[in-house]
Amino acid sequence: MKLEVKNIHKSFGDKEVLHGISFEVESGKALGLLGRNGAGKTTTIRILMDVFHANSGEISVDGKKFVPGQHQIGYLPEERGLYPKRTVIDQMVFLGCLRGLSAKQAKDNARRWLTRLEVAEYETRKLETLSKGNQQKVQLASTLVADPEIIILDEPFSGLDPVNSQILKDVVSELIADGKLVIFSSHQMSYVEEFCEDIAIINKGEVVLQGNLHEIKKDYGMDRLMLILEGSTGKEAAKQAEEQLGDLVTVETIRKNMLVLALKGDFSRKDVMERLAKSSLCVEQFGSYEPSLNDIFVIKVGEEDEKHE
């Protein structure tokens, strides 16, 4: 299955909040849908869920118009949406039946997922009596109770300790391996890097960067270098680097005491090395820059913010 979102526009009144959103994701893969708060991620997800209708654009599955009611979709919202005063098993069965399962199917599936997520002992407890982390695991179990083929996870690791995070990481990996189509939205970039082959970064209603994460990281690291100067803070080091290397590089970002340098024009790493050897700078570390997704996100969203100012 291949899900394609093509040139989606959405307005509320006179204000357009999505300006042509496009991305795609296939079964057996996870797409990291990223963006700052208010960027347009939730609106995009709600259009996929048929909660909102786009003003223009289209969504297709394998080349045919996407009709949400014809597919099992599991959605884990960032904010909890279960019933705190109902027992875990009762509401999971209720939700399973709403999605077309028989009561027996829903109960069997619910118990299987509660066991897999290590919260089976709480099935007869009211949700409000569980810890925040266990409530999150119950919510994930509810998301998966109808065996959805499309799974949308919005901040799934919220409120989980390291042990429970590992359980959830294992489950997400299993879902991808089972051929599910997963859209993964999170501000915790390390999780996105772990699961997602592809990413789409939304900023102010536009996709500002998308594609294969490995290739994006490769491209962003290609003309960038890292430099740490001995005994200098980030800002001090940046000032010194600009004074002595400013014609060769731009100080793009500061990561604590590490500078990320972007090469100018046709200059190379060798040119910078030769200049450093002749300079008065006390170099602690110098080399190629390997960006994290967090670094790319900050760089790209920062660039786009500057364009909008």
Side-chain angles (χ1 to χ4, degrees), residues 62-178:
D62 295 333
K64 298 179 181 179
K65 183 179 179 180
F66 175 57
V67 181
Q70 296 177 358
H71 300 272
Q72 281 288 3
I73 303 174
Y75 174 44
L76 176 70
E78 181 176 3
E79 299 297 329
R80 289 180 176 81
L82 299 181
Y83 303 101
K85 296 189 180 298
R86 292 190 63 175
T87 66
V88 168
I89 193 69
D90 283 351
Q91 61 186 304
M92 287 188 66
V93 171
F94 172 68
L95 292 171
C97 290
L98 285 179
R99 296 170 188 166
L101 302 183
S102 68
K104 183 180 184 305
Q105 286 176 315
K107 183 170 284 188
D108 289 345
N109 286 2
R111 284 177 169 160
R112 176 167 60 87
W113 278 113
L114 290 174
T115 298
R116 177 64 187 87
L117 290 163
E118 300 185 6
V119 284
E121 63 189 286
Y122 305 119
E123 72 167 62
T124 59
R125 295 261 299 271
K126 291 182 179 180
L127 187 71
E128 66 183 358
T129 66
L130 275 58
S131 68
K132 184 177 180 181
N134 284 332
Q135 287 187 34
Q136 181 74 348
K137 291 199 288 183
V138 169
Q139 181 135 316
L140 178 62
S142 300
T143 300
L144 303 175
V145 70
D147 191 25
E149 53 191 333
I150 300 171
I151 300 167
I152 303 171
L153 304 175
D154 193 354
E155 297 293 351
F157 293 93
S158 176
L160 297 182
D161 61 37
V163 173
N164 284 326
S165 291
Q166 185 60 52
I167 294 171
L168 184 52
K169 284 163 64 176
D170 292 342
V171 168
V172 174
S173 296
E174 291 165 12
L175 293 170
I176 296 169
D178 286 344

Side-chain angles (χ1 to χ4, degrees), residues 13-281:
D14 295 331
K15 183 178 181 181
E16 186 176 73
V17 295
L18 299 182
H19 315 300
I21 297 292
S22 298
F23 58 82
E24 61 184 49
V25 57
E26 298 180 20
S27 297
K29 292 185 178 181
L31 170 78
L33 187 63
L34 311 175
R36 297 172 67 176
N37 293 330
K41 303 188 305 299
T42 300
T43 300
T44 302
I45 289 170
R46 287 175 177 171
I47 290 172
L48 279 170
M49 296 288 296
D50 205 28
V51 176
F52 294 156
H53 296 290
N55 294 95
S56 62
E58 61 181 26
I59 303 173
S60 63
V61 171
D62 295 333
K64 298 179 181 179
K65 183 179 179 180
F66 175 57
V67 181
Q70 296 177 358
H71 300 272
Q72 281 288 3
I73 303 174
Y75 174 44
L76 176 70
E78 181 176 3
E79 299 297 329
R80 289 180 176 81
L82 299 181
Y83 303 101
K85 296 189 180 298
R86 292 190 63 175
T87 66
V88 168
I89 193 69
D90 283 351
Q91 61 186 304
M92 287 188 66
V93 171
F94 172 68
L95 292 171
C97 290
L98 285 179
R99 296 170 188 166
L101 302 183
S102 68
K104 183 180 184 305
Q105 286 176 315
K107 183 170 284 188
D108 289 345
N109 286 2
R111 284 177 169 160
R112 176 167 60 87
W113 278 113
L114 290 174
T115 298
R116 177 64 187 87
L117 290 163
E118 300 185 6
V119 284
E121 63 189 286
Y122 305 119
E123 72 167 62
T124 59
R125 295 261 299 271
K126 291 182 179 180
L127 187 71
E128 66 183 358
T129 66
L130 275 58
S131 68
K132 184 177 180 181
N134 284 332
Q135 287 187 34
Q136 181 74 348
K137 291 199 288 183
V138 169
Q139 181 135 316
L140 178 62
S142 300
T143 300
L144 303 175
V145 70
D147 191 25
E149 53 191 333
I150 300 171
I151 300 167
I152 303 171
L153 304 175
D154 193 354
E155 297 293 351
F157 293 93
S158 176
L160 297 182
D161 61 37
V163 173
N164 284 326
S165 291
Q166 185 60 52
I167 294 171
L168 184 52
K169 284 163 64 176
D170 292 342
V171 168
V172 174
S173 296
E174 291 165 12
L175 293 170
I176 296 169
D178 286 344
K180 304 297 185 183
L181 188 156
V182 178
I183 297 175
F184 188 92
S185 179
S186 179
H187 290 111
Q188 296 172 283
M189 299 297 172
S190 60
Y191 291 128
V192 178
E193 288 194 81
E194 186 165 353
F195 299 123
C196 300
E197 290 187 34
D198 301 304
I199 63 166
I201 297 178
I202 299 176
N203 193 46
K204 300 189 177 183
E206 300 177 7
V207 174
V208 295
L209 182 67
Q210 66 175 308
N212 179 270
L213 179 55
H214 174 74
E215 293 301 321
I216 288 172
K217 292 178 73 171
K218 183 178 177 181
D219 290 344
Y220 265 73
M222 187 175 295
D223 295 322
R224 289 172 170 81
L225 305 169
M226 59 80 65
L227 175 66
I228 299 176
L229 299 181
E230 186 176 341
S232 297
T233 65
K235 290 183 178 180
E236 291 171 349
K239 183 178 180 180
Q240 294 173 41
E242 287 170 349
E243 288 173 350
Q244 302 201 39
L245 304 172
D247 57 325
L248 305 179
V249 299
T250 299
V251 178
E252 189 170 66
T253 52
I254 301 172
R255 298 282 182 269
K256 295 184 178 179
N257 290 339
M258 184 185 81
L259 305 180
V260 178
L261 310 176
L263 290 166
K264 290 183 176 180
D266 295 327
F267 292 113
S268 67
R269 172 176 169 171
K270 182 180 178 182
D271 295 324
V272 178
M273 288 178 64
E274 290 175 350
R275 177 71 63 82
L276 285 171
K278 297 175 182 178
S279 74
S280 59
L281 298 173

